[in-house]
Amino acid sequence: MYIPINWKKAPKIEIDQTKCTVPMYCKLCLQACPQACFRVTEAQFQRFIEQDREKLGDFVLTAPYRYDCTLCNVCVEVCPVDAISITSEEDTDDK
Amino acid sequence: MCVFCERFGDPEIGGGLWYLNPRNYGRQLYRRKRPGAAPSEFGRGYRGAATTADPLEIRNDTPDKLPELVNTWWANLDKTRPAQVIPLEDAIKVAALVHPFASMMCECRLWTRAREERNEAVYSCGGLGAGMLKWERWPERYKGGINFMSYEETKEWLIKWNTKGMVAILMTYGAPYVGGLCMCDYPDCGMIRMRLDVGVGCLKSHHVAIVDYDLCNGCGVCVQRCQFGALKFEISTDKAHIDQYRCFGCGVCATGCPRGAISLKRREEIPALAEVW
């Protein structure tokens, strides 16, 4: 059994959902992130109905894998609407 | 023998491997539900989001609690929906065993990379068993549709993705009911990622890869193909080295080696690795 140890603190990736409206259609950050930290999910699950990738609010961008983030800032640079901001907890700690 | 083989394998069929036992394909489908009974475990937590959210939140915010989560997961293998890495030869044996086999869009890559696989040439996820006939009834829900394949086509499909460097993973939907055979990589595939990053999700295969140092010329092709970080190229000896504890036994390095220097060995033959899953 493999249990990963000695991990760093997960950086905080904040996504402004009012700016990021069509992540499935834009998909720039999803494809640019070297660590694949982002994930796009359906905003609400409806049986037998396919969500429209160009429609506002059908998909939501999240960053569930943010523990893998290396703070390279590629996603911030690539985002056309400046919706992503990354803060590392190590910056705010007094250690 | 892994936990699954002990419980669901048949020593007389397929050398005791649980996934070569035909009983494990479609067992749940033929069980009739009693009226008024609670919903069965089958199909529960089908949505990937529901099954992966909690471990990831723990991994992000409170990593101290992770060992507890991992121990609970391993203790309740039959109640979760674990997967197992299998080498290409075994994947072809599975393809010969089940019908129908259908390829479809990979939902993991849709989520992590927004990669839409909308035609037969790029489908990288495989579904098998009678459950596939359901997807055919719901073409709209299942984005992009599915492509039913014969045994020969399945074999070609498996070899095509293996050549590209993808790992074959057998997916269970409520153990031991096998419902899928996906071609995955790291980090886009959810199963490999959950196992490597969090410690839950999929089991290692029954094999480990061994390098024949007489044949290895240090070209480094295998190092690029390993999805699990088990292979490294050592400059001083000019050979590829495999970390056997990290090796998942997928055999992708072996099929990529131009000199045939890597072979797969059964896990049971190496005492230290016999119980490492």
Side-chain angles (χ1 to χ4, degrees):
Chain A
M1 185 186 315
Y2 171 70
I3 300 176
I5 49 164
N6 294 336
W7 42 69
K8 61 186 182 345
K9 276 188 179 175
K12 281 210 160 56
I13 302 181
E14 279 167 17
I15 299 156
D16 191 341
Q17 301 293 355
T18 55
K19 289 179 182 171
C20 178
T21 48
V22 282
M24 192 60 166
Y25 184 66
C26 163
K27 64 172 103 167
L28 286 172
C29 56
L30 288 157
Q31 295 194 336
C33 181
Q35 301 286 339
C37 291
F38 295 100
R39 172 174 168 153
V40 64
T41 40
E42 292 148 344
Q44 55 179 1
F45 184 73
Q46 288 171 286
R47 286 194 98 183
F48 312 128
I49 293 172
E50 187 173 356
Q51 265 71 25
D52 188 352
R53 61 183 184 145
E54 294 180 41
K55 199 175 146 197
L56 303 188
D58 265 16
F59 286 95
V60 182
L61 183 72
T62 54
Y65 304 106
R66 60 192 165 88
Y67 57 83
D68 257 357
C69 177
T70 54
L71 307 174
C72 70
N73 253 20
V74 166
C75 54
V76 178
E77 285 162 20
V78 91
C79 182
V81 291
D82 294 331
I84 305 169
S85 65
I86 303 176
T87 46
S88 170
E89 280 200 21
E90 283 162 29
D91 295 343
T92 55
D93 275 2
D94 293 326
K95 284 171 194 171
Chain B
M1 297 294 252
C2 70
V3 188
F4 281 3
C5 290
E6 284 165 10
R7 289 190 51 191
F8 308 118
D10 190 333
E12 289 171 14
I13 305 170
L17 293 171
W18 69 279
Y19 49 80
L20 295 183
N21 183 2
R23 264 169 192 273
N24 296 328
Y25 296 87
R27 159 190 287 196
Q28 299 271 355
L29 293 176
Y30 299 111
R31 188 181 290 169
R32 188 174 289 178
K33 206 170 77 176
R34 276 177 284 115
S40 69
E41 288 294 326
F42 169 67
R44 182 173 294 179
Y46 163 68
R47 290 188 60 209
T51 52
T52 54
D54 292 341
L56 288 175
E57 274 168 24
I58 292 174
R59 175 74 174 83
N60 277 325
D61 301 325
T62 50
D64 308 341
K65 291 181 185 166
L66 204 54
E68 189 190 323
L69 170 97
V70 174
N71 289 333
T72 319
W73 189 86
W74 282 87
N76 297 293
L77 265 186
D78 51 339
K79 288 172 194 156
T80 53
R81 34 168 290 195
Q84 187 165 36
V85 174
I86 56 172
L88 178 64
E89 306 89 77
D90 286 2
I92 291 170
K93 282 183 200 166
V94 168
L97 198 66
V98 294
H99 184 83
F101 193 101
S103 65
M104 60 179 85
M105 179 179 191
C106 170
E107 225 168 330
C108 293
R109 273 174 221 121
L110 175 77
W111 287 330
T112 50
R113 291 290 191 200
R115 187 185 133 148
E116 291 169 283
E117 301 170 349
R118 287 196 180 270
N119 62 66
E120 298 159 18
V122 289
Y123 286 158
S124 61
C125 195
L128 44 88
M132 282 307 99
L133 302 170
K134 276 200 252 180
W135 290 128
E136 196 186 30
R137 294 213 309 265
W138 303 333
E140 194 168 285
R141 175 70 193 93
Y142 215 79
K143 307 159 185 82
I146 61 173
N147 177 33
F148 285 92
M149 296 189 291
S150 66
Y151 167 64
E152 282 77 20
E153 286 167 334
T154 310
K155 199 174 160 183
E156 269 176 37
W157 180 82
L158 289 166
I159 292 170
K160 180 185 90 179
W161 284 108
N162 188 283
T163 312
K164 286 191 181 181
M166 298 284 197
V167 178
I169 293 191
L170 208 61
M171 318 289 271
T172 65
Y173 294 86
Y177 169 62
V178 181
L181 180 57
C182 295
M183 306 304 281
C184 311
D185 64 337
Y186 181 89
D188 296 350
C189 164
M191 275 299 170
I192 299 180
R193 185 159 202 177
M194 289 302 281
R195 176 63 200 267
L196 290 183
D197 294 357
V198 182
V200 301
C202 76
L203 302 179
K204 296 178 183 181
S205 85
H206 289 79
H207 303 79
V208 281
I210 310 267
V211 183
D212 186 341
Y213 295 125
D214 295 334
L215 287 171
C216 177
N217 65 349
C219 67
V221 171
C222 53
V223 182
Q224 299 163 16
R225 289 170 69 86
C226 185
Q227 302 294 328
F228 304 98
L231 262 156
K232 74 179 165 67
F233 177 69
E234 208 163 298
I235 299 163
S236 45
T237 56
D238 199 28
K239 306 280 178 202
H241 280 265
I242 296 177
D243 181 343
Q244 309 254 297
Y245 188 68
R246 286 193 184 182
C247 178
F248 274 59
C250 62
V252 170
C253 51
T255 51
C257 182
R259 290 170 68 95
I262 303 178
S263 56
L264 287 177
K265 200 173 178 182
R266 279 297 284 253
R267 198 169 278 275
E268 291 88 344
E269 292 171 30
I270 301 165
L273 299 172
E275 296 301 320
V276 178
W277 295 104

